[in-house]
Amino acid sequence: MKIRQGQVANRPVYVVVGISLDGGRDMLGMWAGTGGEGAKQWAGYLTTPPTSSRA
């Protein structure tokens, strides 16, 4: 995905989807990455609270 932060750059976008026992799917979060896929980066994504909620 192309993202503008001062200039346009290609960045990875990570989407976390949760699946309930009855098969329903919810998007739990979405982050624009910096290109690395290290353990510290994933830990940050998974421990960051969601920025929006469902009504």
Side-chain angles (χ1 to χ4, degrees), residues 23-40:
R25 296 180 181 168
D26 285 315
M27 185 172 77
L28 303 177
M30 180 167 53
W31 297 270
T34 58
E37 291 190 11
K40 288 182 182 180

Side-chain angles (χ1 to χ4, degrees), residues 36-47:
E37 291 190 11
K40 288 182 182 180
Q41 186 173 8
W42 276 106
Y45 293 150
L46 297 175
T47 57

